[in-house]
Amino acid sequence: VGKFVEFFGAGLASMALPDRATIGNMSPEYGATMGYFPVDDETLRYYRLTGREDAHVDFIGEYMKAQGMFFSADAPEPEYSDVVELDLSTVEPSIAGPRRPQDRIAVHGVHEAFGRMLATPVKDGGFGIDADKRNAHVKLDGDSGGDIGHGATVIAAITSCTNTSNPYVMVGAGLVAKKAVERGLHVKPFVKTSLAPGSAVVSEYLEESGLQHYLDELGFEVVGYGCTTCIGNSGPIPDVVSAAIEKGGLVAAAVLSGNRNFEGRVHPLTKANFLASPPLVVAYALAGTMDINLDTDAIGTDSKGNAVYLRDIWPTRAEVRDVVAKVVSAKSFRARYKDVFKGSDMWNAIEKTGSDLYQWSEKSTYVREPSFFEHVASAPAPIAPIQGARALAWLGDSVTTDHISPAGSIAQKSPAAKYLMEHGIQPKDFNSYGSRRGNHEVMMRGTFANIRLRNKLVPGSEGTWTRCFLDGQEMTIYDASVKYIAAGVPLLVMAGKEYGSGSSRDWAAKGPALLGVRVVIAESYERIHRSNLVGMGILPLQFMEGESAESLGLKGDETFDILDLSDTVKPGATIRVSAKPASGAAKEFKTRLRIDTPVEVDYYRNGGILQTVLRRLAG
């Protein structure tokens, strides 16, 4: 965490650039600030393959060599602060899940791991299914026939630009589909399949190779390009499947080739979400369940009644490379990208106003003038203690930006849905939070609205619920914030370890700021989210080492005073917090200020980075 990671060594010679790019692009999964590979002959070869001009590629190579930065097996090893050695022969096929991308499971251990997840209590990260219900199956109504149980793969999606821009894994998926179709295998009828490549070039080489035909046969037709299931845009699953999941209280699964699987992100009905390579997505769609050991268990039965195993339909590396060499060419990339900046007819048909300033529309439910600059004085007020704050939420460990920031579909009974319906938008046209991120009214109502959020202020609840201490009533977090703001009460959030992990979304800080959150006190922070909180004028405090809200005996219903804040506060200072319960004496404890640099002190003094920039422009 917090490191720049460069991959180097003799093993680079056997690693294709798309594989390197995938590993580099997925640095959040191993915690690094960034991951990258040095420029070498493979880099230059890829530039040529993807349509760059030879003169440009030659210039890159010559420049990097002149700088001593071109990698070759006999080049002297750079000096690193730390070196971690990895024997590539020890790497084994894996998936990740069911809730976090860093939770890796070897493919041969998925069956055993899933069984443990069902039995493990929810508070310990499992699903808490009672022993007598773990083998539950529910018959599907209608013509689909069959039944489903825990672990049924109801969504299988090849999606996300990270993986679908890699021709080796995409061709691999196509070859798995080809071999499966030729053996007479079929995807289970309850599995919703889709293919959303990161580029139209992918469609071109899959069509040219003939592999798209086999993907289509298994239901992996192209539904679009870019983010779909990976950001919750899979759309509904069939009603009969939804009904069966709800009737049986089943832990249904999704398997996707994306790089995020946080709770509530993929689909409201899939509690278990697994990340896998595109070929494995096809395999699990054929199996119809995640409760399987693909090393030893049959994936299906062929047209002659013979058991078919994954090893029977898995392509060799040579097969994949042969197809890639035949169909992936510079010509395709040049053809597809020569007009990339011209835009579509629909884009070019947008009416232009001729003004340098955007014309805000009060009627728009997609783009509204944000309220961040309302009541901004010409000069900031001095930093001062925060008095009388109340807890809006008390959260546990590993609360991600997907829990905090709205993502995916808009639930029909949510505050955001109520707002949209009041503005004439019907549920079928809600679209997603991602598409409406330009409307702060929608986004603030969706903050802390994740269906899997667990707020300790309302024990046993899931979703956007809290207790408003002005009247003691349970209500949505948004409705409570409205009451607190009207009463002039500042708000805080208490949390455990790794607060704000996951995608570095700005709305995970913007949303709480709009809800009136002034302080977060957590055991630890994800690096970027901590910075984003400061950037929105929210004070990040950290419990002292070994302490937590529980260990300090806090109940969440206290009135909090944040002491020791002044215009001379230093980064990393010790800040005292006074917590006064409804009855009894106040309890005081120390925290560490997680404003880490002098410039962040300036951001906080101004109320955030936006206000800082505005004042500098005005000055």
Side-chain angles (χ1 to χ4, degrees):
V1 173
K3 303 293 186 181
F4 282 35
V5 178
E6 180 176 9
F7 297 89
F8 71 102
L12 284 184
S14 62
M15 185 176 287
L17 190 133
D19 291 339
R20 304 180 191 184
T22 301
I23 292 169
N25 197 35
M26 296 182 79
S27 61
E29 278 59 64
Y30 44 90
T33 301
M34 64 178 292
Y36 64 99
F37 290 77
V39 174
D40 62 1
D41 287 327
E42 170 65 10
T43 312
L44 303 183
R45 189 195 69 79
Y46 184 78
Y47 278 142
R48 291 189 171 90
L49 174 67
T50 51
R52 274 72 168 190
E53 297 297 331
D54 285 344
H56 187 196
V57 178
D58 290 342
F59 172 78
I60 293 171
E62 291 168 8
Y63 177 85
M64 297 302 289
K65 289 173 182 176
Q67 297 298 322
M69 296 175 66
F70 193 86
F71 179 82
S72 63
D74 57 354
E77 183 178 307
E79 291 184 15
Y80 297 103
S81 58
D82 192 22
V83 174
V84 178
E85 292 192 2
L86 171 66
D87 181 348
L88 291 180
S89 68
T90 65
V91 176
E92 58 184 343
S94 303
I95 64 173
R99 295 188 178 94
R100 303 189 306 173
Q102 65 265 42
D103 292 336
R104 186 183 66 82
I105 310 169
V107 167
H108 62 76
V110 172
H111 167 69
E112 184 179 328
F114 189 78
R116 288 197 304 270
M117 294 170 195
L118 288 181
T120 302
V122 173
K123 66 181 180 62
D124 296 324
F127 297 109
I129 304 299
D130 294 336
D132 60 341
K133 296 179 180 179
R134 290 172 201 159
N135 293 318
H137 281 74
V138 180
K139 183 175 175 57
L140 295 171
D141 295 330
D143 298 329
S144 56
D147 55 31
I148 60 173
H150 295 298
T153 307
V154 298
I155 292 177
I158 301 175
T159 178
S160 168
C161 53
T162 302
N163 274 309
T164 58
S165 292
N166 184 331
Y168 294 92
V169 293
M170 294 304 292
V171 166
L175 287 171
V176 169
K178 179 177 184 292
K179 291 172 181 282
V181 170
E182 289 173 345
R183 291 293 297 267
L185 299 184
H186 302 278
V187 168
K188 299 297 186 288
F190 51 80
V191 184
K192 180 171 186 175
T193 50
S194 61
L195 168 59
S199 166
V201 174
V202 178
S203 290
E204 189 167 306
Y205 64 66
L206 287 178
E207 289 286 356
E208 185 177 340
S209 64
L211 296 177
Q212 186 61 55
H213 165 74
Y214 298 102
L215 288 164
D216 290 346
E217 284 284 308
L218 297 182
F220 287 96
E221 295 98 344
V222 175
V223 296
Y225 297 92
C227 295
T228 52
T229 303
C230 48
I231 192 59
N233 293 337
S234 67
I237 57 180
D239 290 341
V240 292
V241 179
S242 299
I245 294 170
E246 293 176 336
K247 179 180 179 181
L250 300 178
V251 178
V255 57
L256 61 152
S257 63
N259 55 8
R260 297 287 187 275
N261 60 336
F262 301 119
E263 289 185 300
R265 177 185 178 105
V266 174
H267 193 281
L269 290 177
T270 58
K271 290 185 178 181
N273 300 284
F274 296 93
L275 306 178
S277 67
L280 279 177
V281 171
V282 177
Y284 280 110
L286 292 165
T289 180
M290 302 302 298
D291 191 11
I292 185 174
N293 181 348
L294 290 180
D295 273 6
T296 59
D297 299 338
I299 203 169
T301 305
D302 68 14
S303 53
K304 297 180 180 179
N306 300 314
V308 179
Y309 297 86
L310 181 60
R311 58 182 175 269
D312 298 326
I313 60 174
W314 195 263
T316 65
R317 293 187 70 180
E319 288 176 306
V320 173
R321 285 179 171 175
D322 285 348
V323 174
V324 171
K326 290 177 183 176
V327 300
V328 181
S329 68
K331 177 182 177 183
S332 299
F333 283 92
R334 290 192 181 108
R336 284 288 179 178
Y337 289 103
K338 68 177 182 179
D339 297 327
V340 70
F341 295 112
K342 288 185 178 180
S344 66
D345 291 341
M346 184 179 294
W347 175 263
N348 291 324
I350 294 175
E351 184 178 347
K352 305 174 184 67
T353 64
S355 171
D356 288 338
L357 297 178
Y358 183 78
Q359 304 300 306
W360 302 103
S361 171
E362 289 294 318
K363 296 180 179 179
S364 176
T365 55
Y366 278 99
V367 183
R368 294 287 300 275
E369 184 175 9
S371 56
F372 302 121
F373 295 128
E374 289 180 358
H375 315 301
V376 177
S378 58
I383 296 174
I386 297 171
Q387 305 284 343
R390 304 304 296 255
L392 182 64
W394 180 8
L395 310 173
D397 295 339
S398 297
V399 171
T400 70
T401 52
D402 272 31
H403 289 104
I404 306 166
S405 165
S409 58
I410 299 172
Q412 291 195 23
K413 294 183 179 180
S414 65
K418 180 181 178 182
Y419 167 84
L420 289 172
M421 286 189 284
E422 288 173 348
H423 286 74
I425 307 298
Q426 297 306 306
K428 67 182 180 66
D429 297 319
F430 279 176
N431 213 320
S432 65
Y433 281 114
S435 68
R436 294 188 181 273
R437 73 185 76 181
N439 185 341
H440 64 283
E441 296 288 356
V442 172
M443 299 299 280
M444 64 191 289
R445 285 166 171 80
T447 300
F448 295 117
N450 185 290
I451 57 174
R452 301 285 176 243
L453 186 76
R454 299 174 187 90
N455 186 354
K456 297 179 184 181
L457 298 180
V458 187
S461 69
E462 275 194 334
T464 181
W465 297 104
T466 194
R467 184 178 302 281
C468 179
F469 295 111
L470 296 177
D471 54 18
Q473 297 298 307
E474 292 183 9
M475 60 187 68
T476 68
I477 284 177
Y478 171 75
D479 288 337
S481 79
V482 171
K483 286 195 169 190
Y484 283 125
I485 290 172
V489 176
L491 298 173
L492 63 78
V493 171
M494 293 192 297
K497 300 178 181 65
E498 299 176 351
Y499 183 72
S501 57
S503 306
S504 55
R505 289 210 195 95
D506 56 350
W507 270 108
K510 287 178 178 176
L514 291 175
L515 294 181
V517 173
R518 299 278 305 283
V519 185
V520 175
I521 312 177
E523 293 178 54
S524 64
Y525 292 89
E526 192 279 332
R527 178 181 56 84
I528 298 175
H529 184 64
R530 181 209 61 80
S531 176
N532 285 347
L533 290 174
V534 178
M536 288 309 302
I538 296 176
L539 185 74
L541 299 177
Q542 188 162 316
F543 290 109
M544 303 305 280
E545 185 69 28
E547 294 185 347
S548 65
E550 287 88 351
S551 72
L552 292 168
L554 300 177
K555 303 298 182 184
D557 60 354
E558 298 89 351
T559 300
F560 295 85
D561 293 337
I562 314 300
L563 311 173
D564 304 321
L565 290 176
S566 70
D567 231 24
T568 59
V569 71
K570 302 297 183 184
T574 298
I575 302 295
R576 291 175 301 143
V577 177
S578 173
K580 182 174 176 53
S583 60
K587 180 177 298 185
E588 190 174 289
F589 58 95
K590 294 178 180 179
T591 64
R592 183 159 67 93
L593 178 63
R594 287 306 312 275
I595 293 179
D596 293 352
T597 65
V599 71
E600 287 185 339
V601 174
D602 194 35
Y603 292 158
Y604 179 71
R605 180 184 295 109
N606 278 277
I609 193 170
L610 298 174
Q611 292 85 344
T612 304
V613 173
L614 180 65
R615 288 191 175 106
R616 288 177 181 174
L617 289 172

